Amino acid sequence: MRTPRDGPLRVIVADDDSFVRRIVKDTLQSAGITVIAEARTGREAVELVLHYRPDVVLMDVVMPELDGIAATRRILEALPDQAVVMLTGSDDDDLGILGLRSGAVGYLTKDLQLEGLPRALAGAVMGEGVISRVLARRLIGHVRKVPELGSGMRPIKSPLTGREWEVVDLLAAGKSTEEIAEALVISTETVRSHVKSILKKLKVSSRAEAVVIARRMRDGLD
């Protein structure tokens, strides 16, 4: 993790809009942040990041050749610790969730007050999560959808993972595969995979049986 003694923050700005790049660059450099390179496409962003190894990448979502989400995935496959903050002009917060699932440490919209951008990037590099207020509200909404049955909390002795307990809680609430996927922001295929694992670990053949066994485990009866 960086410390203030490491010198000016080194940033790569990836955006296909030259005007946006110029405004962002001016804002960052006026705050003492060094913009070491600019990318016009997702593919170019990947190449520049792998070459320069910046402290953080400010990545637009919609770009030619390779979108920002796909570019982020490629970068993190090669550099797992690379900090990437997504930036978009879209008000579609589904893109924000996709960006975070791709490995980005932050997601900001272009209506962010520019003076707050340097602070946001510095925070991302220091390990802070950086997301827009709109997306934060949506993520809170997703958390609230998980029933109070246990909210994924696992007993001390349990063969199930924390995520599998979240799935069990939603099964206990009568949620369908599709509803579980929406609540946990995962695919239906991933939900089915979790259910299969749960049934195997609990040595049962149905979801209803799994819920009964899980309740007993949580009550300390098994």
Side-chain angles (χ1 to χ4, degrees):
M1 182 176 294
R2 278 183 59 93
T3 69
R5 292 174 296 177
D6 292 330
L9 210 61
R10 299 165 61 253
V11 177
I12 285 180
V13 177
D15 197 302
D16 63 330
D17 188 327
S18 60
F19 177 74
V20 170
R21 291 200 310 274
R22 181 170 62 81
I23 294 297
V24 168
K25 181 178 180 179
D26 289 347
T27 299
L28 296 181
Q29 295 195 153
S30 66
I33 294 175
T34 302
V35 176
I36 58 175
E38 300 176 41
R40 295 169 295 175
T41 71
R43 194 177 307 281
E44 186 177 2
V46 174
E47 294 172 353
L48 289 173
V49 172
L50 296 185
H51 177 74
Y52 287 105
R53 307 290 180 93
D55 296 309
V56 62
V57 184
L58 187 61
M59 179 82 73
D60 188 19
V61 173
V62 181
M63 287 190 293
E65 294 185 13
L66 192 68
D67 66 67
I69 292 173
T72 297
R73 290 196 186 102
R74 293 194 185 183
I75 289 169
L76 294 177
E77 284 173 3
L79 304 172
D81 295 328
Q82 176 65 60
V84 179
V85 174
M86 311 296 294
L87 183 68
T88 180
S90 171
D91 59 0
D92 184 355
D93 50 12
D94 281 338
L95 289 177
I97 291 175
L98 286 173
L100 296 177
R101 288 177 63 187
S102 74
V105 297
Y107 182 88
L108 302 171
T109 55
K110 291 181 180 177
D111 58 3
L112 169 77
Q113 295 294 320
L114 285 176
E115 58 266 24
L117 186 56
R119 183 172 61 253
L121 295 185
V125 173
M126 298 302 289
E128 299 175 9
V130 181
I131 59 175
S132 67
R133 292 182 180 180
V134 172
L135 183 57
R137 285 197 296 270
R138 178 165 182 189
L139 292 175
I140 290 171
H142 278 294
V143 172
R144 288 175 175 170
K145 287 182 181 179
V146 179
E148 295 181 0
L149 177 62
S151 299
M153 298 299 292
R154 54 192 294 189
I156 295 176
K157 294 182 179 180
S158 167
L160 305 183
T161 65
R163 175 62 95 184
E164 287 169 347
W165 275 108
E166 290 177 338
V167 173
V168 168
D169 289 337
L170 289 163
L171 289 174
K175 301 296 184 181
S176 67
T177 296
E178 291 72 20
E179 290 171 329
I180 294 173
E182 181 181 358
L184 299 181
V185 200
I186 57 179
S187 69
T188 55
E189 290 77 13
T190 299
V191 173
R192 294 188 182 97
S193 177
H194 283 314
V195 171
K196 182 178 180 180
S197 176
I198 291 166
L199 298 183
K200 181 178 180 180
K201 289 179 178 180
L202 299 184
K203 299 178 181 179
V204 296
S205 57
S206 71
R207 297 185 177 198
E209 290 177 298
V211 170
V212 171
I213 295 298
R215 285 183 186 276
R216 289 177 59 83
M217 291 174 63
R218 221 178 231 139
D219 290 339
L221 300 178
D222 283 329

